Amino acid sequence: RKEVEQDPGPFNVPEGATVAFNCTYSNSASQSFFWYRQDCRKEPKLLMSVYSSGNEDGRFTAQLNRASQYISLLIRDSKLSDSATYLCVSGGGADGLTFGKGTHLIIQP
Amino acid sequence: EPEVTQTPSHQVTQMGQEVILRCVPISNHLYFYWYRQILGQKVEFLVSFYNNEISEKSEIFDDQFSVERPDGSNFTLKIRSTKLEDSAMYFCASSGVLLRGTSYEQYFGPGTRLTVT
């Protein structure tokens, strides 16, 4: 059974701080990993794909550790607009995506 | 920027009725998906569709559910006889960009909120 586990939070972080989330996945055969962002009652929006070599997009950095089967997301210089639920996701292609329950982030002014 | 669209945004139906949820995937995408999210719970995969047939389906996708691509643009999810527990947000997604040979980034529509009374 494919599972993705995340700390639900909430993480309360002051504006400008750095925050990091981790998640773990159970299916060692998973090839693809993503971070999505979901605002209240909205659709998941793709934030970034996660590559074995790690990847960075502006203030966001994602890392994959296949040996330990965990994925991380780092947000630097957090903004009020970063407040959302961050979904750790594995899979894709014909199998569909397996979502974690999400980590709720609240950026405080 | 191309996007996935879904109609209606909200559907209210009585238990036992049939509903059809509609989606227009991104035009050059090849894979289409339906997911659902019950309020307060995680997003769950229902079904994937490729080359005009179902590729994979989850255990949630039982005989009450069916999908169809009736023309070159629409992708539909039909629930034959709705139950109270079918109340959820239903998201359509599409992908088609092969990225680094292994990952398929999926883009989601805004969802249809289905309320079964």
Side-chain angles (χ1 to χ4, degrees), chain A residues 32 36 38 43 49 93-94 97, chain B residues 33 35 37 48 102 105-106 109:
Chain A
S32 305
Y36 279 77
Q38 187 173 32
E43 74 274 24
S49 300
L97 298 174
Chain B
Y33 309 84
Y35 294 83
Q37 186 174 31
S48 61
T102 57
E105 296 181 338
Q106 293 185 25

Side-chain angles (χ1 to χ4, degrees), chain B residues 71-92:
Chain B
D71 54 44
S73 60
N74 290 285
F75 179 50
T76 62
L77 174 69
K78 182 192 291 186
I79 310 175
R80 261 180 272 284
S81 177
T82 51
K83 304 187 284 286
L84 294 176
E85 54 266 36
D86 293 328
S87 293
M89 183 74 98
Y90 288 81
F91 293 111
C92 174

Side-chain angles (χ1 to χ4, degrees), chain B residues 10-45:
Chain B
H10 191 189
Q11 174 92 45
V12 181
T13 189
Q14 288 191 323
M15 194 167 55
Q17 296 296 305
E18 175 183 287
V19 294
I20 297 176
L21 311 183
R22 292 183 166 79
C23 167
V24 179
I26 294 172
S27 64
N28 63 346
H29 280 186
L30 303 174
Y31 292 86
F32 314 121
Y33 309 84
W34 284 101
Y35 294 83
R36 79 170 185 192
Q37 186 174 31
I38 295 169
L39 189 63
Q41 298 188 24
K42 64 183 178 181
V43 178
E44 299 174 291
F45 168 70

Side-chain angles (χ1 to χ4, degrees), chain A residues 1 3-4 31-32 34 36 38 41-44 46 49 51 53 87 92-97 99-101, chain B residues 31 33 35 37 39 42-43 45 48 55-56 89 91 99-100 102-110 113:
Chain A
R1 184 176 177 143
E3 297 284 350
V4 175
Q31 294 293 314
S32 305
F34 309 91
Y36 279 77
Q38 187 173 32
R41 293 179 177 256
K42 299 286 190 183
E43 74 274 24
L46 180 65
S49 300
Y51 308 131
S53 55
L87 308 176
D95 291 341
L97 298 174
F99 282 80
K101 290 185 178 178
Chain B
Y31 292 86
Y33 309 84
Y35 294 83
Q37 186 174 31
L39 189 63
K42 64 183 178 181
V43 178
F45 168 70
S48 61
S55 294
E56 292 289 338
M89 183 74 98
F91 293 111
L99 189 67
R100 295 196 179 190
T102 57
S103 66
Y104 296 79
E105 296 181 338
Q106 293 185 25
Y107 297 89
F108 283 71
R113 181 168 301 282

